[in-house]
């Protein structure tokens, strides 16, 4: 069921908001499918338009000075416990280093989060922001297994997904509770029917092993890595499994590796509540009148009333779909991922108060991976599949109801939404791996770990927990006092200099540096 993801998204103009960022991937690799996969040679080609699972759209535009994006397919074992068995294709994208070849360090591999986000679509969308890093690295990203073009997990079809996301995800009585349970069971059953072969093999540990194969196929002695959001968890698991293979690595918008799924959801409730409060304070502190409330408290009270009213009577949304309480909550959460989106939230709320739910619905669609033409990417299906493969706990109706008071106290606006979201792995076909990931990485090279004090999706405290979990001498903690999900793309000069200095020149910033 839909819930905020630890993924960084880019949104275009208001009523065309979508996660379908423009790019795609395809290609072939040579090598013995049943033999040594580390010896395979990638065939880099021009990238095609993205697939439906990646979100659709056009092929990626060239970078400044005409640099082209290239795509290829890497073969990896379907089951890493049987490395000589069946293989799957892992889709890669790259832009070659722009500087002198004798100063090239190697490849810099990005994971932008999710789980379920397509690196093939995300890297070109943000590519210009990494122009300085490209002077010494090939910029590389990929669709992790289960995502986009890499053996994508699919569940319900587009029509079914429209109905699924119109459901009441915060039930108020026994009938609504049973409906929610039935819908989750149907969705998860569809995943098993359509992607059963893949579901046992999409865990983060599998993706980490894919990255080490990728490192070798790309010709690098060490994995140089930039992980954002869930990408920090993936990076931490990689460092645990392959500590001696870690090169220069940065974790930005850091997932707390010590938390259970319940604790993570509760932390997100607090994070989104804080972000909403910061938005309300910002709006009401401007010289001009805030159009959605007179005070910060008034803004939140009006939003709470809107959501209550929507539970009883949804507003017209987009097409035949209504702006429900769930869709509005989803859209508000989406808008809190970046301060750049706050203007959309203000306009969306102002319109909703006047009876027009289109903007909040478009924001909700962006969260769910729905395109304006009614098609869906597989970001949410992959998100559920990877989370359920990773997370051992399975929560019942009774578990959620027992935890609701704590969630509501943490966030009056997002508490119910995130508590009920814990049902997402109910009736899942595959057992989860652990209560939380192991990221201990003794012997690893230093990893720069950046926490953002205003981050809604991966609360700031997670960065300190990641540093502690990596072990002595591995994590270098840096704090960014800002808003939004992630720090590097805030364009803060202090953060940029610290990250660029480490990745390009190996210059380690002083531990517990604070940027504001």
């Amino acid at each position: 069921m839909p819930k905020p993801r630890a993924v960084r998204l880019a949104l275009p103009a208001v009523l065309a908001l979508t996660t379908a960022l423009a790019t795609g991937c395809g290609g072939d690799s040579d090598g013995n499918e049943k033999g040594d996969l580390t010896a395979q040679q990638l065939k880099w080609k021009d990238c095609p338009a993205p697939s439906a699972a990646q979100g659709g759209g056009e092929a990626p535009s060239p970078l400044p000075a005409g640099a082209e994006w290239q795509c290829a397919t890497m073969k990896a074992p379907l089951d890493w416990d049987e490395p000589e068995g069946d293989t799957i294709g892992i889709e890669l994208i790259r832009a070659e280093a722009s500087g002198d070849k004798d100063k090239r360090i190697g490849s810099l591999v990005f994971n932008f989060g999710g789980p379920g986000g397509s690196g093939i679509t995300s890297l070109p969308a943000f590519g210009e922001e990494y122009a300085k890093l490209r002077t010494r690295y090939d910029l590389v990203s990929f669709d992790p297994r289960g995502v986009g073009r890499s053996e994508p997990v699919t569940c319900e079809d587009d029509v079914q997904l429209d109905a699924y996301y119109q459901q009441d995800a915060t039930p108020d009585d026994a009938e609504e509770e049973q409906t929610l349970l039935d819908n989750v069971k149907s969705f998860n059953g569809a995943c098993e029917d359509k992607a059963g072969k893949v579901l046992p093999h999409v865990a983060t540990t599998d993706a980490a092993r894919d990255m080490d194969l990728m490192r070798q196929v790309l010709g690098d002695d060490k994995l140089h890595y930039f992980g954002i959001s869930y990408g920090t968890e993936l990076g931490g698991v990689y460092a645990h499994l392959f500590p001696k293979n870690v090169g220069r690595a940065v974790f930005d918008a850091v997932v707390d590796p010590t938390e259970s799924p319940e604790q993570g959801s509760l932390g997100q409730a607090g994070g989104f509540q804080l972000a909403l409060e910061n938005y309300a304070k910002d709006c009401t502190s401007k010289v001009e009148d805030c159009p959605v409330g007179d005070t910060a408290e008034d803004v939140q009270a009006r939003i709470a009333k809107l959501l209550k009213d929507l539970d009883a009577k949804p507003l017209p949304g987009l097409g035949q779909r209504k702006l429900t309480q769930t869709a509005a909550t989803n859209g508000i959460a989406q808008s809190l991922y970046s301060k750049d989106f706050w203007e959309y939230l203000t306009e969306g709320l102002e319109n909703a108060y006047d009876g027009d739910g289109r903007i909040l619905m478009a924001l909700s669609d962006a969260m769910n991976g729905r395109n304006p033409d009614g098609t869906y990417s597989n970001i949410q299906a992959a998100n559920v599949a990877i989370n359920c493969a990773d997370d051992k706990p399975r929560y019942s109706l009774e578990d959620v109801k027992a935890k609701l008071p704590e969630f509501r106290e943490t966030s009056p606006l997002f508490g119910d939404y995130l508590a009920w979201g814990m049902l997402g792995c109910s009736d899942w076909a595959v057992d989860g791996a652990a209560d939380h990931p192991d990221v201990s990485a003794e012997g690893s090279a230093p990893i720069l770990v950046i926490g953002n004090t205003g981050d809604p999706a991966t609360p700031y405290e997670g960065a300190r927990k990641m540093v502690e979990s990596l072990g002595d001498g591995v994590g270098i903690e840096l704090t960014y006092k800002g808003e939004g999900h992630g720090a590097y793309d805030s364009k803060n000069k202090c953060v940029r200099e610290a990250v660029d200095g480490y990745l390009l020149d190996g210059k380690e910033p002083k531990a517990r540096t604070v940027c504001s």
Side-chain angles (χ1 to χ4, degrees):
M1 60 184 298
K3 66 177 182 177
R5 299 180 308 276
V7 63
R8 186 189 62 171
L9 300 175
L11 301 183
V14 175
L15 290 181
L17 299 172
T18 174
T19 53
L21 303 173
T23 184
C25 193
D28 301 301
S29 62
D30 289 331
N32 183 358
E33 185 170 316
K34 300 296 183 181
D36 182 8
L37 293 176
T38 66
Q40 65 186 293
Q41 299 294 314
L42 298 176
K43 289 184 177 180
W44 294 100
K45 300 178 180 179
D46 290 342
C47 297
S51 68
Q54 290 172 315
E58 299 179 354
S61 300
L63 286 162
E68 297 287 346
W69 293 101
Q70 300 174 310
C71 289
T73 304
M74 181 187 78
K75 293 176 182 176
L78 170 64
D79 184 349
W80 272 102
D81 290 334
E82 298 182 7
E84 296 187 1
D86 293 341
T87 63
I88 58 174
I90 304 297
E91 300 299 314
L92 278 64
I93 188 169
R94 76 172 181 184
E96 293 185 284
S98 61
D100 294 339
K101 290 185 178 181
D102 59 350
K103 294 183 179 179
R104 178 182 175 276
I105 296 171
S107 300
L108 181 61
V109 176
F110 289 78
N111 182 280
F112 293 91
S118 168
I120 305 301
T121 61
S122 295
L123 184 57
F126 298 104
E128 290 188 34
E129 298 187 25
Y130 307 119
K132 190 169 183 178
L133 298 175
R134 195 166 73 88
T135 59
R136 299 195 67 189
Y137 291 99
D138 295 346
L139 304 184
V140 176
S141 194
F142 63 106
D143 284 355
R145 54 176 60 213
V147 176
R149 272 201 169 97
S150 296
E151 202 70 34
V153 172
T154 56
C155 301
E156 296 183 327
D157 62 29
D158 295 334
V159 173
Q160 291 172 318
L161 288 173
D162 271 349
Y164 188 63
Y165 293 132
Q166 286 279 278
Q167 72 176 312
D168 188 343
T170 55
D172 301 309
D173 55 40
E175 182 179 356
E176 290 183 351
E177 290 169 2
Q178 188 59 51
T179 298
L180 178 61
L181 287 172
D182 291 344
N183 288 341
V184 170
K185 185 175 183 178
S186 295
F187 179 90
N188 292 353
C191 298
E192 182 180 7
D193 291 343
K194 293 185 178 181
K197 180 185 77 170
V198 180
L199 296 186
H201 307 297
V202 296
T204 298
T205 51
D206 296 308
R209 291 184 171 94
D210 291 341
M211 287 205 305
D212 200 59
L213 176 61
M214 192 183 308
R215 171 190 65 80
Q216 297 171 78
V217 171
L218 291 170
D220 292 332
D221 293 332
K222 302 285 185 179
L223 179 74
H224 306 295
Y225 181 74
F226 200 137
I228 302 160
S229 193
Y230 160 79
T232 66
E233 179 178 327
L234 174 58
V237 170
Y238 179 89
H240 171 69
L241 293 175
F242 306 103
K244 299 298 185 182
N245 295 346
V246 175
R248 298 174 187 174
V250 173
F251 295 175
D252 188 6
V254 184
V255 173
D256 186 340
T258 69
E259 292 182 328
S260 67
E262 175 195 326
Q263 292 166 334
S265 293
L266 189 63
Q268 277 200 331
F272 279 95
Q273 184 67 33
L274 175 62
L276 182 66
E277 292 169 1
N278 290 342
Y279 157 76
K281 291 175 185 176
D282 179 79
C283 186
T284 56
S285 67
K286 296 183 182 299
V287 175
E288 66 272 18
D289 291 338
C290 175
V292 292
D294 297 327
T295 66
E297 292 74 19
D298 183 40
V299 171
Q300 294 178 71
R302 292 191 68 189
I303 292 173
K305 183 179 185 303
L306 172 67
L307 295 178
K308 183 177 181 180
D309 291 345
L310 288 172
D311 194 30
K313 186 178 180 180
L315 290 175
L318 292 171
Q320 299 300 311
R321 295 177 301 136
K322 299 289 187 180
L323 179 71
T324 62
Q325 180 189 55
T326 298
T329 306
N330 205 38
I332 293 167
Q334 172 65 85
S335 69
L336 296 174
Y337 272 84
S338 170
K339 194 171 182 177
D340 292 340
F341 303 166
W342 287 3
E343 62 181 285
Y344 300 137
L345 177 55
T346 297
E347 189 172 359
L349 290 171
E350 190 175 13
N351 286 7
Y353 295 148
D354 291 335
D356 181 353
R358 288 178 296 168
I359 292 177
L360 289 183
M361 177 69 85
L363 285 161
S364 180
D365 286 349
M367 178 76 84
N368 293 332
R370 189 186 195 274
N371 304 311
D373 64 1
T375 61
Y376 283 83
S377 74
N378 89 311
I379 190 169
Q380 284 288 5
N383 179 267
V384 173
I386 296 168
N387 278 330
C388 294
D390 283 347
D391 298 338
K392 185 176 181 179
R394 299 290 186 255
Y395 298 104
S396 67
L397 178 66
E398 291 72 24
D399 293 330
V400 172
K401 294 175 77 169
K403 290 294 181 182
L404 274 171
E406 185 178 3
F407 274 78
R408 288 169 176 163
E409 182 178 358
T410 300
S411 175
L413 289 174
F414 297 105
D416 278 53
Y417 178 67
L418 283 156
W420 287 107
M422 294 193 301
L423 291 174
C425 292
S426 301
D427 301 302
W428 193 250
V430 178
D431 291 338
D435 291 329
H436 57 81
D438 190 345
V439 300
S440 58
E442 182 180 357
S444 169
I447 297 172
L448 180 56
V449 179
I450 308 170
N452 181 356
T453 57
D455 197 315
T458 51
Y460 169 66
E461 294 78 11
R464 178 68 55 82
K465 295 293 183 63
M466 176 65 80
V467 168
E468 293 171 350
S469 299
L470 287 169
D472 292 342
V474 178
I476 305 170
E477 184 179 3
L478 184 147
T479 293
Y480 168 55
K481 290 186 175 181
E483 300 295 336
H485 188 43
Y488 187 83
D489 292 331
S490 70
K491 299 181 176 63
N492 177 270
K493 183 179 178 181
C494 171
V495 173
R496 285 284 175 104
E497 288 179 349
V499 172
D500 293 347
Y502 183 51
L503 290 177
L504 294 172
D505 302 316
K507 182 181 177 182
E508 298 177 21
K510 185 178 179 181
R512 300 196 178 181
T513 294
V514 177
C515 296
S516 59

